């Protein structure tokens, strides 16, 4: 058995994901696949368009064999922590042979070269990076500039090579790919990385065209606009279309950040800068600006515009506001990271081949495999803290359901993993 690991959000599962899945299977000759998927809140600081069990069902119906949840603590965090959490989880299963991820560059060699430097930063690189950060650049921009300057001085790269390196470090999927590779190196993992070049569209493209692949951003924008779902049927698998349609009709989707707008403002306006300071990723006195803006603005868009600056991008602010909504503190992150990262693997969906993977994991995994939360007792304080955040996230997310009858009980305890008998 050769197991391929995928790190995903599937928000929702579309034809681009299907292309990546099938291509990854082909280039690795994998016999089985396991996806680590974000739960109800995502890396860009947004809620998922529909809940985690339905998105996992989409994946399994399109050919993924087993879907495991990435704990919320990592799912809605920085690219570095998101990647570390996902790779650490796959590595802890001690049965995954490959990881495959999409990238704009499609060249594992170039990405690995950058990851080597970032995994163990040379002193000279660290000095250059600090200088750019002190000049007021956002960390991603500072890191890109530092990498170009460092390679120019140490490896005497030509202009074309330096432009390519700069482009690589500005592209979102390349950045995540570098972080996956960095995590593999830091964990001294034996998992072999592969990358697949993204085809036809950028992940942030916002329009649906006639081609059969569209970005998740464009798909979500179309759904939120209230336009006919049939208009996007050519860019998503039939199973995704049917699941989306049934959930929309049932009043369980679509979910957006505006569904939590009042909650975020309520929390902020009853807080004070001292409370906000404890939230993960709030630094350099940002708590004061967040508080001032929260009492002046009354929409999330207005709040973002009021707070954002050259250093604090909208995406970073979205994550911070999600941490505020879910009450994720700096101490939560540091404590769980210091105690080994993800503490368990929660099953969201699987098929017949996924069941075969689970039989293997019973003997190999160094962390508990959870199929029914009722029977799981956290083995340590880190697991207890991490699980509380997962449950809290689901309980808050379910408040956005239009169908109020769907939240009579905590969903994490009442929803079983989906099994697809194929």
């Amino acid at each position: 058995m050769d197991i391929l690991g995928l790190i995903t959000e599937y928000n929702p599962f579309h034809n681009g994901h299907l292309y990546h899945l099938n291509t990854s299977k082909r280039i690795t000759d994998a016999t089985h696949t396991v996806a680590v998927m974000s739960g109800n809140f995502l890396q860009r600081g947004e809620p998922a368009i529909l809940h985690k069990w339905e998105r996992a069902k989409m994946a399994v119906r399109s050919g993924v064999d087993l879907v495991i949840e990435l704990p919320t603590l990592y799912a809605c965090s920085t690219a570095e922590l998101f990647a570390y959490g996902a790779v650490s989880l796959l590595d802890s299963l001690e049965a995954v042979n490959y990881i495959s991820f999409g990238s704009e560059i499609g060249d594992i060699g170039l990405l690995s070269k950058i990851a080597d430097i970032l995994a163990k930063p040379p002193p000279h690189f660290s000095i250059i990076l600090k200088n750019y950060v002190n000049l007021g650049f956002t960390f991603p921009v500072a890191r890109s500039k530092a990498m170009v300057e460092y390679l120019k001085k140490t490896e005497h790269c030509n202009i074309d090579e330096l432009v390519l390196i700069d482009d690589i470090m500005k592209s979102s999927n390349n950045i995540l790919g570098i972080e996956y590779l960095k995590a593999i190196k830091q964990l001294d993992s034996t998992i072999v990385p592969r990358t697949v070049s993204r085809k036809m569209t950028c992940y942030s493209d916002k329009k649906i065209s006639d081609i059969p692949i569209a970005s998740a951003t464009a798909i979500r924008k179309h759904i939120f606009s209230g336009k006919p779902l049939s208009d996007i049927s050519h860019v998503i698998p039939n199973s995704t279309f049917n699941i989306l349609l049934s959930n929309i009709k049932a009043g369980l989707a679509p979910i957006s950040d505006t569904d939590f707008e009042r909650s975020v403002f309520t929390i902020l306006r009853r807080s004070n800068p001292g409370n906000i300071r404890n939230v993960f990723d709030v630094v350099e006195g940002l708590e004061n600006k967040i508080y001032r803006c929260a009492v002046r603005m009354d929409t999330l868009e207005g709040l973002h515009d009021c707070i954002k600056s050259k250093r604090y991008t909208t995406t970073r602010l979205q994550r911070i506001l999600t941490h505020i909504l879910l009450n994720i503190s700096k101490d939560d992150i540091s404590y769980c990271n210091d105690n080994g990262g993800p503490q368990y693997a929660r099953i969201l969906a699987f098929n017949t081949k996924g069941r075969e993977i689970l039989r293997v994991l019973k003997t190999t995994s160094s962390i508990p495999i959870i199929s029914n939360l009722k029977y799981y007792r956290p083995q340590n304080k880190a697991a207890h803290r991490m699980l509380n955040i997962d449950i809290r996230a689901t309980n808050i997310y379910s408040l956005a359901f239009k169908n109020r009858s769907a939240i009579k009980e905590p969903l994490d305890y009442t929803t079983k993993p989906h099994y697809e008998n194929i």
Side-chain angles (χ1 to χ4, degrees):
M1 180 185 296
D2 284 331
I3 301 176
L4 166 67
L6 305 167
I7 299 171
T8 67
E9 291 191 319
Y10 294 154
N11 188 40
F13 192 100
H14 55 66
N15 288 350
H17 295 134
L18 185 62
Y19 168 81
H20 174 254
L21 171 64
N22 291 335
T23 303
S24 298
K25 287 179 180 179
R26 177 177 55 79
I27 65 175
T28 61
D29 288 325
T31 58
H32 295 68
T33 55
V34 54
V36 171
M37 189 189 80
S38 301
N40 292 321
F41 291 89
L42 310 177
Q43 200 268 325
R44 289 178 60 84
E46 300 170 326
I49 195 168
L50 72 167
H51 69 70
K52 57 191 179 186
W53 292 281
E54 291 296 285
R55 288 174 18 253
K57 185 192 297 185
M58 289 177 178
V60 170
R61 287 188 176 173
S62 291
V64 177
D65 298 319
L66 172 65
V67 182
I68 292 173
E69 181 180 0
L70 177 63
T72 305
L73 203 67
Y74 295 97
C76 60
S77 195
T78 62
E80 181 178 29
L81 286 171
F82 174 90
Y84 172 79
V87 172
S88 177
L89 182 47
L90 287 171
D91 189 60
S92 295
L93 301 179
E94 299 189 16
V96 176
N97 304 97
Y98 302 96
I99 288 177
S100 177
F101 56 87
S103 65
E104 288 84 0
I105 189 65
D107 186 332
I108 201 76
L110 279 171
L111 297 175
S112 293
K113 183 176 184 177
I114 296 170
D116 284 337
I117 295 171
L118 298 180
K120 294 182 179 179
H124 183 50
F125 172 80
S126 298
I127 292 170
I128 298 172
L129 176 59
K130 184 177 180 181
N131 289 338
Y132 279 115
V133 170
N134 289 339
L135 288 173
F137 291 101
T138 63
F139 184 78
V141 172
R143 193 167 71 165
S144 176
K145 288 181 174 293
M147 184 63 65
V148 169
E149 183 175 334
Y150 176 77
L151 290 175
K152 181 179 180 180
K153 290 180 177 179
T154 60
E155 300 198 13
H156 308 292
C157 297
N158 61 41
I159 294 296
D160 290 341
E161 290 171 325
L162 294 175
V163 169
L164 180 58
I165 294 294
D166 187 47
D167 287 343
I168 287 172
M169 297 195 67
K170 287 180 178 176
S171 303
S172 59
N173 289 283
N174 287 338
I175 291 169
L176 272 175
I178 291 166
E179 293 298 342
Y180 298 146
L181 294 169
K182 190 174 80 172
I184 289 171
K185 297 173 191 297
Q186 291 173 334
L187 291 164
D188 196 24
S189 174
T190 59
I191 297 176
V192 177
R194 294 284 185 266
T195 189
V196 175
S197 179
R198 292 176 63 87
K199 298 294 183 184
M200 297 185 186
T201 184
C202 171
Y203 91 105
S204 60
D205 285 349
K206 296 181 180 180
K207 293 183 178 179
I208 303 290
S209 66
D210 293 334
I211 63 174
I213 292 181
S215 71
T217 301
I219 293 169
R220 292 194 301 273
K221 183 180 178 182
H222 181 91
I223 294 169
F224 288 135
S225 72
K227 296 176 182 177
L229 205 60
S230 57
D231 291 349
I232 60 171
S233 61
H234 65 294
V235 297
I236 55 178
N238 288 336
S239 54
T240 292
F241 180 89
N242 292 331
I243 291 169
L244 276 170
L245 185 61
S246 64
N247 276 268
I248 291 170
K249 287 182 176 179
L252 301 177
I255 306 298
S256 75
D257 56 356
T258 57
D259 289 306
F260 303 97
E261 190 171 66
R262 295 300 89 193
S263 297
V264 169
F265 274 97
T266 299
I267 293 168
L268 287 174
R269 291 190 177 192
R270 77 178 186 195
S271 298
N272 58 58
N275 300 138
I276 299 171
R277 187 184 305 121
N278 294 324
V279 173
F280 176 64
D281 211 21
V282 174
V283 295
E284 301 170 333
L286 185 62
E287 65 273 10
N288 297 306
K289 192 173 185 181
I290 292 174
Y291 183 75
R292 287 197 305 270
C293 290
V295 296
R296 291 171 50 199
M297 301 295 164
D298 63 355
T299 67
L300 286 176
E301 184 178 1
L303 187 61
H304 296 157
D305 289 341
C306 181
I307 303 170
K308 71 180 181 182
S309 65
K310 185 177 180 181
R311 181 168 291 189
Y312 299 104
T313 63
T314 298
T315 298
R316 184 173 179 183
L317 294 176
Q318 287 176 169
R319 279 197 297 266
I320 289 173
L321 295 177
T322 296
H323 298 150
I324 288 170
L325 177 68
L326 303 181
N327 193 27
I328 298 176
S329 69
K330 295 172 182 174
D331 187 59
D332 288 327
I333 297 287
S334 60
Y335 184 85
C336 292
N337 251 7
D338 291 345
N339 284 276
Q343 300 291 307
Y344 46 77
R346 290 187 61 193
I347 303 166
L348 296 177
F350 61 105
N351 60 20
T352 305
K353 291 176 74 173
R355 181 171 281 168
E356 294 171 2
I357 298 174
L358 290 171
R359 291 194 192 103
V360 171
L361 298 187
K362 286 181 180 179
T363 61
T364 64
S365 180
S366 62
I367 56 176
I369 307 296
I370 305 172
S371 58
N372 191 328
L373 205 55
K374 292 179 181 179
Y375 304 113
Y376 172 63
R377 297 293 178 269
Q379 68 273 24
N380 54 48
K381 291 182 179 179
H384 183 76
R385 186 180 290 202
M386 197 172 290
L387 182 62
N388 279 346
I389 293 172
D390 285 347
I391 294 170
R392 184 191 311 154
T394 299
N395 290 345
I396 291 172
Y397 181 87
S398 64
L399 290 173
F401 292 162
K402 309 302 183 289
N403 182 353
R404 309 311 297 160
S405 65
I407 51 172
K408 292 180 179 178
E409 298 181 58
L411 295 180
D412 280 300
Y413 286 97
T414 60
T415 308
K416 296 179 180 179
H418 172 75
Y419 174 62
E420 193 74 18
N421 189 10
I422 55 175

